[in-house]
Amino acid sequence: MGGVLRARLNASSMTFCASSFLSLDIDTIMPKPPKNCIFCGVPGKKSKEHIFADWLRILFPRDASSTHTFGTIDPYKGIITETPKEKITHLQGHIGTRRLKVVCATCNNNWMSQLEETVKPILIPMITNEFVGLEPSQQQLLSRWAAKTVMVAEFEKPRSDGITQSERTWLKDNPTPPDNWLIWLAGYNGKSWAELAFAQNRGSLQSAPVRRPHIQVHYCQSTIFGMGHALFLVVNSSWDGIFDAFGNIDNDGLIRIWPPQNLSIPWPPPVILGDEQANAVANILTQSGRFDQSLNPLAKHTITF
């Protein structure tokens, strides 16, 4: 679309695990897991896929007493005077043990497993805050891995108007995320997000471009997750103006790795985020000035830990 644009963001959502949060549009929830593999689209028996791969237990140990928290915020669609309903559940087990039965064994054991093995030696020094340099090729691998993680995690609370099948199929068949995805890295020295905390904020974006009277509806989603000293921010949407809306946040500690900037990144980076800054990143979608917040039930409902 591009050009001058009026946008309304309706009914956001987030995902809360280990220390994270989820909110959603209750009118669009899919009541059952997908019948087909979310990546290749093939029907049939599916295997369980970890949101965070099992190899991470070497860095994030867990035992029988480990617990995590899962929360939802259900906004009342179209009603801005109501207070969103919150539901927070304390669950047994570490967040690293959460698995979703949404992918086939072929995808799980082939390209997804290969991606985890390839990204593992890149992620470990980032998580443990070792001095390394992230070359453009490594940033591309991290971007694909982060997109895969977000695509799987979305099915904690699936909805019909989220990430499309074509986006997931693209990721399976290509070494990069889809074009309508933006991904940033940040160094982190806080506590709230360090233990695989995960927050997803998603909703519908209504836009009315200039000289085009009809309204188009797009999904829009932001995801933040923390892993030790590394923080990831992923923003994705079916709206082709998403880069113009969010591309200007490449500062204040956020380093964009997709779309690529073709620059080497020193790690740890010179600017490190704490909990207050990380919480601000988690609320980037609901607080964005590019959107008309009057119709966003969660505009004043922020994530804090």
Side-chain angles (χ1 to χ4, degrees), residues 62-277:
R62 65 291 308 260
D63 55 35
S65 63
S66 297
T67 62
H68 68 277
T69 303
F70 182 81
T72 63
I73 305 173
D74 291 342
Y76 296 82
K77 187 175 182 181
I79 303 175
I80 63 174
T81 57
E82 295 279 1
T83 300
K85 292 191 302 182
E86 290 188 29
K87 181 181 179 181
I88 297 177
T89 306
H90 300 283
L91 301 172
Q92 190 66 31
H94 190 278
I95 177 55
T97 64
R98 288 189 76 88
R99 296 191 298 170
L100 302 176
K101 204 170 185 179
V102 294
V103 301
C104 68
T106 300
C107 283
N108 197 354
N109 297 328
N110 288 279
W111 73 268
M112 296 176 73
S113 177
Q114 293 166 10
L115 179 58
E116 288 289 344
E117 286 300 315
T118 306
V119 82
K120 183 177 176 180
I122 306 173
L123 273 176
I124 289 177
M126 294 172 61
I127 293 169
T128 57
N129 217 31
E130 298 177 33
F131 288 94
V132 293
L134 300 175
E135 298 302 323
S137 60
Q138 295 173 308
Q139 296 170 41
Q140 180 175 308
L141 281 168
L142 287 169
S143 297
R144 190 185 187 210
W145 173 84
K148 184 270 297 181
T149 301
V150 170
M151 288 177 178
V152 172
E154 186 189 42
F155 284 87
E156 275 281 11
K157 280 290 183 180
R159 49 186 281 162
S160 59
D161 59 348
I163 299 169
T164 64
Q165 181 63 55
S166 62
E167 289 173 276
R168 294 190 293 266
T169 301
W170 169 275
L171 191 76
K172 176 182 74 72
D173 294 336
N174 294 275
T176 68
D179 290 339
N180 56 321
W181 286 58
L182 293 92
I183 301 172
W184 293 264
L185 279 178
Y188 175 67
N189 64 1
K191 296 182 178 179
S192 296
W193 295 87
E195 192 75 14
L196 304 183
F198 186 100
Q200 192 170 75
N201 188 340
R202 54 191 179 178
S204 300
L205 182 68
Q206 296 183 358
S207 60
V210 172
R211 296 186 300 275
R212 196 179 298 179
H214 63 281
I215 293 177
Q216 295 177 297
V217 179
H218 304 274
Y219 89 85
C220 192
Q221 179 167 282
S222 69
T223 305
I224 178 177
F225 57 93
M227 311 176 74
H229 290 279
L231 202 68
F232 285 81
L233 171 65
V234 180
V235 174
N236 49 292
S237 177
S238 55
W239 174 43
D240 60 11
I242 194 67
F243 184 85
D244 292 334
F246 289 95
N248 63 349
I249 65 171
D250 301 350
N251 51 42
D252 296 329
L254 289 172
I255 306 167
R256 194 181 79 241
I257 59 173
W258 185 262
Q261 301 188 78
N262 297 317
L263 300 171
S264 179
I265 298 173
W267 193 271
V271 178
I272 305 296
L273 304 188
D275 285 331
E276 183 177 353
Q277 295 93 335

